[in-house]
């Protein structure tokens, strides 16, 4: 079939009103002698591509603007018209300025009108050029001329013709449409006519209408054939590329189809010989093999039998089959009755703990006690350990060390920000994508029913409309309940009582009381400078050298330099920031080594500021003066010192003002201290009338930092008494304790952190409640060393110690 113009050619012949008819048929149309063409023509526009003289194609036009033109053409003696390209995307509304100047003279055959369209066959005759427009509105009439074609060098034209013919020969095998068009051309013309050959070759291409019109415009045959050769060569490259892509796709498809048929045939052959089963049989046998190695409970075995029966009757393509198969896959991969043997050698356990961690002697001792009880019983079960301490003190790594010491599998996941209880208890099997909770996933991954599971950040668990995960944990972490733990997905009870759970938290306040009650708390309070130096030498520095690709001898650091880094840049309770600072020093040293510095490089105290800059923390000196007392506080980041200042504003009227971003409990403590000191001022040798006319302002510095808690009561009362007596504390002294209205001093928490905080600013004389004496006695000797601790029951005991 001839190539059709997209916008102007019809796909199917139209049936309708014949616009021109004769009894004698086509022979009745007067023939035009060769070279004798009309000098005035009616014009019809094309919008997509020009019409070449070598073409004979059906054209389809909109009836509205061009019906009158077609009728006028039919009334002419020769039924000839001019077909010409317009520079618009459509032919409606085409004005004279939109027409190109060169077009093709065609004879119009069999015009038919139907469904708002006009169709006729156009037979190309010759190029023409518009000389003059005789009409400015449709039907357009123009005066034309037929310029002669310039053909100077016949040999050169013959060479171009051969090149074009050879390219067409290459195109024909790549696209069957080209061979049909070639046959049509050869039936009408001779290949020895270079002008018609060039036009035919141009009509084969898919070039743009501008490129094709430039071919139309070329009356110089050599130039025209040159342009056509470029276009048809380009067409050949595109056709080759399309053919190559098609071959690749077909080859790939053929390969896949061949493999599919061979695989299906192989399955059938194996089934006939009894060597293989279908997918359903294979699944059932695989599940049976797995389950044969397990010791399922009675209820689990009953559920498995029911699901296996269901699987055997379901079609393998049904959605229910996939759900049942996945369920059995989970059930058969859980380690029912599989337990790893605990290594309860205390000497080995202590060696592992000492190797992995410096300091934390009290924590290690507690873990050894825990392992010793398990050794005596022969197993460790029903235990939930909660490690509480500031960030960076080694809570997670201690959990890993416990698993190594026991020789158990270790699995860790974080509860921080968890808001969906399905993460704990699993999703019900009522929708696509349902899966078990984290605990069943952990058991499956570990492959034993008694791993060590670490629950990080248990104090940061959340709650939302999707449920309360903290409440869902109650069943998991209760030794009385988790022997029959029920996951919503499995819907079969699984024994978690042999699992050792280790939880970590920065603080206890946000952990629900029922959950906290199920856990055994071990506090990691942080490190003093001496412990940090050991940790840096034995663990952090070697780790940073390894990370930088250095050997131990390439870069060394002195103990004094480590101490300077700790005191000037990393004073917090943990060692995470210390590790960052050491990493920064190592990286700067690596830059020097790569730049050609002499090795080994030794870092001393003087190099610390060169590598890290000026210290972040300057040596702290406690604030002293009348009405100023140093208190001790606990925070989630460790212990801290807290200076409390009381001052007399004026004596015009009685008043009491509090500042320092204090919480509600701390404000109450201040009011209790004010009331107590006001009512007992005479007892403590102060002017009984002082507070009657004094406006007192009590401030806790670092006003932007929120503070709360009752343990500053004693400190606030002492500051108010110092102000009332107009007598300052004569020596470095720090205190903590909750004060009641009757003068009782109650116990406080976080004693270890508070002692470490006091030692950090070199205060060694401390006052604690009598109820905390046991906590102080249990502190390691290296923390208590050089500390003078006073224990008080009543505030009057504090007054005796402070003021003598």
């Amino acid at each position: 079939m001839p190539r059709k113009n997209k916008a102007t050619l019809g796909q199917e012949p139209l049936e309708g009103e014949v616009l021109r008819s004769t009894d004698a048929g086509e022979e009745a149309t007067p023939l035009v002698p060769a070279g004798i063409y009309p000098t005035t023509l009616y014009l019809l526009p094309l919008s997509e591509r020009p019409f070449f003289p070598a073409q004979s194609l059906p054209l389809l036009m909109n009836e509205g603007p061009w019906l009158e033109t077609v009728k006028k053409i039919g009334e002419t003696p020769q039924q000839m018209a001019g077909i010409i390209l317009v520079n618009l995307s459509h032919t409606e509304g085409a004005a004279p300025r939109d027409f190109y100047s060169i077009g093709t003279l065609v004879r119009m055959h069999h015009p038919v009108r139907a469904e708002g369209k006009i169709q006729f066959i156009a037979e190309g005759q010759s190029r023409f050029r518009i000389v003059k427009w005789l009409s400015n509105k449709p039907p357009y009439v123009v005066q034309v001329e037929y310029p002669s074609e310039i053909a100077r060098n016949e040999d050169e034209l013959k060479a171009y013709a051969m090149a074009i013919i050879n390219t067409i020969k290459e195109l024909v095998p790549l696209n069957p449409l080209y061979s049909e068009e070639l046959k049509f051309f050869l039936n009408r013309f001779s290949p020895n006519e270079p002008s018609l050959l060039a036009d035919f070759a141009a009509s084969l291409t898919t070039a743009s209408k501008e490129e094709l019109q430039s071919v139309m415009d070329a009356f110089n045959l050599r130039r025209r054939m040159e342009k056509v050769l470029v276009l048809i060569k380009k067409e050949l490259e595109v056709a080759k590329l399309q053919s190559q892509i098609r071959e690749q796709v077909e080859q790939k498809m053929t390969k896949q189809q061949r493999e599919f048929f061979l695989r299906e045939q192989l399955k059938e052959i194996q089934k006939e010989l009894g060597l293989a089963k279908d997918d359903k049989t294979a699944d059932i046998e695989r599940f049976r093999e797995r389950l044969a190695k397990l010791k399922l409970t009675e209820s689990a075995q009953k559920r498995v039998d029911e699901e296996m029966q269901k699987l055997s009757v379901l079609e393998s393509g049904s959605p229910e089959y996939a759900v049942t198969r996945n369920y059995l896959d989970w059930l058969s991969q859980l380690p029912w009755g599989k337990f790893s043997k605990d290594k309860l050698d205390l000497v080995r356990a202590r060696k592992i703990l000492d190797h992995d961690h410096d300091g934390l002697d009290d924590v290690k001792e507690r873990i050894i006690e825990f392992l010793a009880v398990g050794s005596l019983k022969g197993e460790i079960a029903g235990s939930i350990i909660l490690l509480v301490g500031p960030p960076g003190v080694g809570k997670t790594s201690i959990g890993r060390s416990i698993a190594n010491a026991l020789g158990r599998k270790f699995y860790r996941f974080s509860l921080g920000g968890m808001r969906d209880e399905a993460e704990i208890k699993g999703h019900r099997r009522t929708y696509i994508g349902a899966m078990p909770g984290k605990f069943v996933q952990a058991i499956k991954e570990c492959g034993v029913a008694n791993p060590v599971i670490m629950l990080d950040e248990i104090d940061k668990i959340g709650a939302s409309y999707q449920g309360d995960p903290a409440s869902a944990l109650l069943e998991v972490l209760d030794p009385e309940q988790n022997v029959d733990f029920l996951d919503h997905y499995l819907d079969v009870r699984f024994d978690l009582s042999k699992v050792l759970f280790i939880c970590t938290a920065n603080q206890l306040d946000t952990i629900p009381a029922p959950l906290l009650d199920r856990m055994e708390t071990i506090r990691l309070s942080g490190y003093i400078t001496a412990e940090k130096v050991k940790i840096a030498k034995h663990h952090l520095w070697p780790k940073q050298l390894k990370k930088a690709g250095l050997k131990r001898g390439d870069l060394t650091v002195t103990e004094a330099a480590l101490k300077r880094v700790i005191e000037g840049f990393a004073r917090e309770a943990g060692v995470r920031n210390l590790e960052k600072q050491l990493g920064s020093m190592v990286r700067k040293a690596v830059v020097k080594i790569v730049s050609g510095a002499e090795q080994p490089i030794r870092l001393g105290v003087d190099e610390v500021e060169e590598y890290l800059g000026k210290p972040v923390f300057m040596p702290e000196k406690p604030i002293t003066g009348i009405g100023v007392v140093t208190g001790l506080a606990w925070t989630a980041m460790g212990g801290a010192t807290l200076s409390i200042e009381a001052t007399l504003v004026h004596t015009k009227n009685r008043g009491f003002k509090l500042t320092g971003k204090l919480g509600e409990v701390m404000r109450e403590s201040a009011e209790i201290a004010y009331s107590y000191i006001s009512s007992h001022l005479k007892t403590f040798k102060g002017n009984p009338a002082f507070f009657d006319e004094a406006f007192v302002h009590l401030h806790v510095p670092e006003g932007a930092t929120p503070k709360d808690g009752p343990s500053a009561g004693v400190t606030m009362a002492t500051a108010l008494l110092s102000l009332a007596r107009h007598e300052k504390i004569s020596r470095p002294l720090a205190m903590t304790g909750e004060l009641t209205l009757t003068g009782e001093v109650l116990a406080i928490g976080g004693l270890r952190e508070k002692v470490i905080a006091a030692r950090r600013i070199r205060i060694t004389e401390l006052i604690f409640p009598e109820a905390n004496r046991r906590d102080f006695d249990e502190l390691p000797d290296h923390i208590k060393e050089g500390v003078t601790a006073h224990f008080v029951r009543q505030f009057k005991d504090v007054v005796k110690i402070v003021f003598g």
Side-chain angles (χ1 to χ4, degrees), residues 547-614:
K547 189 186 287 186
L550 296 173
K551 295 177 183 174
R552 195 177 283 265
D554 296 341
L555 182 64
T556 57
V557 64
T558 64
E559 195 167 305
L562 289 174
K563 192 172 180 183
R564 175 64 62 87
V565 173
I566 291 162
E567 292 180 344
F569 299 88
R571 276 194 186 172
E572 67 287 330
V575 293
R576 195 168 284 142
N577 188 40
L578 173 58
E579 185 176 3
K580 291 177 187 174
Q581 300 298 337
L582 295 179
S584 178
M585 292 176 71
V586 169
R587 289 193 300 275
K588 286 180 169 59
V590 168
V591 172
K592 290 193 172 185
I593 290 170
V594 173
S595 301
E598 290 185 16
Q599 290 179 260
I601 293 178
R602 184 174 179 275
L603 302 180
V605 174
D606 296 335
E607 284 77 23
V608 171
E609 283 196 20
E610 179 190 341
Y611 280 66
L612 298 179
K614 293 291 181 184

Side-chain angles (χ1 to χ4, degrees), residues 411-415 418 424 438-439 442 453-456:
Y411 186 92
R412 173 196 165 275
F413 66 91
S414 176
L415 295 171
M418 186 180 288
I424 306 294
K438 288 282 188 185
F439 291 96
I453 296 180
M454 170 159 274
L455 311 178
D456 251 338

Side-chain angles (χ1 to χ4, degrees), residues 18-25 111:
V18 177
L19 296 177
R20 179 178 60 84
S21 171
T22 62
D23 295 336

Side-chain angles (χ1 to χ4, degrees), residues 140-385:
Y140 291 123
V141 183
V142 292
Q143 185 178 336
V144 299
E145 63 180 4
Y146 303 93
S148 302
E149 294 177 333
I150 304 168
R152 288 174 183 160
N153 191 330
E154 290 189 8
D155 292 337
E156 191 176 16
L157 293 179
K158 192 176 290 184
Y160 271 109
M162 291 302 296
I164 291 172
I165 289 170
N166 288 335
T167 307
I168 293 173
K169 283 181 181 177
E170 289 184 63
L171 267 173
V172 168
L174 299 176
N175 191 335
L177 284 176
Y178 294 134
S179 62
E180 292 296 323
E181 296 193 21
L182 183 60
K183 285 178 189 175
F184 184 80
F185 174 75
L186 292 175
N187 286 338
R188 296 185 64 223
F189 308 107
S190 167
N192 296 323
E193 297 179 66
S195 175
L196 293 172
L197 177 65
D199 289 346
F200 167 69
S203 69
L204 289 180
T205 68
T206 55
S208 67
K209 70 180 188 179
E210 289 80 9
E211 289 175 316
L212 293 174
Q213 183 62 36
S214 73
V215 174
M216 278 290 299
D217 294 345
F219 286 93
N220 185 312
L221 267 180
R222 189 195 66 78
R223 192 174 300 161
R224 188 194 308 171
M225 296 181 86
E226 185 180 342
K227 289 182 178 183
V228 168
L229 187 58
V230 171
L231 293 181
I232 201 162
K233 284 283 186 187
K234 199 184 293 182
E235 195 73 19
L236 178 62
E237 292 302 317
V238 172
K240 282 181 178 177
L241 184 59
Q242 288 176 340
S243 178
Q244 186 180 350
I245 293 169
R246 187 174 63 251
E247 284 176 10
Q248 289 175 350
V249 172
E250 286 175 356
Q251 186 178 3
K252 191 174 180 181
M253 291 290 291
T254 305
K255 185 182 177 185
Q256 288 176 344
Q257 288 170 348
R258 183 170 173 271
E259 287 178 358
F260 173 76
F261 287 129
L262 287 174
R263 205 175 289 115
E264 291 300 313
Q265 287 173 351
L266 181 61
K267 280 183 186 176
E268 291 302 319
I269 292 168
Q270 287 177 332
K271 261 198 270 186
E272 287 294 323
L273 296 174
L275 298 175
K277 292 96 181 170
D278 59 13
D279 290 342
K280 186 196 294 188
T281 309
D283 284 340
I284 291 173
E285 290 199 0
R286 183 168 69 256
F287 294 147
R288 290 197 191 283
E289 284 175 17
R290 285 183 192 169
L291 294 165
K293 302 172 186 174
L294 305 174
K295 297 176 183 175
L296 273 71
T297 61
E298 187 177 337
S299 60
Q301 186 64 55
K302 183 179 178 183
R303 173 59 63 86
V304 165
D305 292 341
E306 290 172 358
E307 294 295 326
M308 293 285 272
Q309 176 63 28
K310 186 197 294 184
L311 192 72
S312 64
V313 299
L314 286 170
E315 287 296 327
S316 58
S318 71
E320 184 68 17
Y321 179 88
V323 171
T324 306
R325 183 190 172 283
N326 288 342
Y327 177 70
L328 284 169
D329 193 41
W330 272 101
L331 272 183
S332 61
Q333 288 192 78
L334 288 178
W336 299 89
K338 282 187 178 181
F339 302 97
S340 60
K341 191 173 180 182
D342 289 336
K343 297 174 182 176
L344 298 172
D345 183 349
L346 298 187
V347 176
R348 175 180 173 276
R350 190 181 291 275
K351 194 179 292 184
I352 289 173
L353 291 171
D354 287 339
H355 176 269
D356 291 348
H357 299 88
D358 278 302
L360 303 177
D361 293 330
D362 51 339
V363 176
K364 291 179 191 172
E365 198 59 42
R366 180 66 193 82
I367 291 167
I368 292 297
E369 291 170 10
F370 172 75
L371 297 178
V373 172
S375 177
L376 191 64
K377 284 175 61 182
E379 65 169 0
I380 291 178
S383 300
I384 298 98
I385 297 173

Side-chain angles (χ1 to χ4, degrees), residues 499-513:
V499 176
L500 173 57
F501 293 101
I502 300 176
C503 308
T504 71
N506 297 132
Q507 59 193 51
L508 301 178
D509 304 357
T510 55
I511 302 175

Side-chain angles (χ1 to χ4, degrees), residues 717-773:
T718 307
L720 291 170
L721 183 59
S722 169
L723 178 66
R725 289 176 53 145
H726 201 71
E727 182 180 347
K728 74 173 185 178
I729 300 174
S730 59
R731 62 195 187 278
L733 181 71
M735 62 188 70
T736 180
E738 180 179 353
L739 182 67
T740 69
L741 275 174
T742 56
E744 295 286 330
V745 179
L746 304 182
I748 48 87
L751 185 132
R752 173 172 174 153
E753 290 92 336
K754 292 177 178 179
V755 173
I756 291 172
R759 290 194 56 156
R760 194 181 296 135
I761 62 168
R762 294 181 174 83
I763 293 181
T764 56
E765 188 175 358
L766 308 174
I767 297 176
F768 296 118
E770 178 65 35
N772 290 105
R773 184 187 291 271

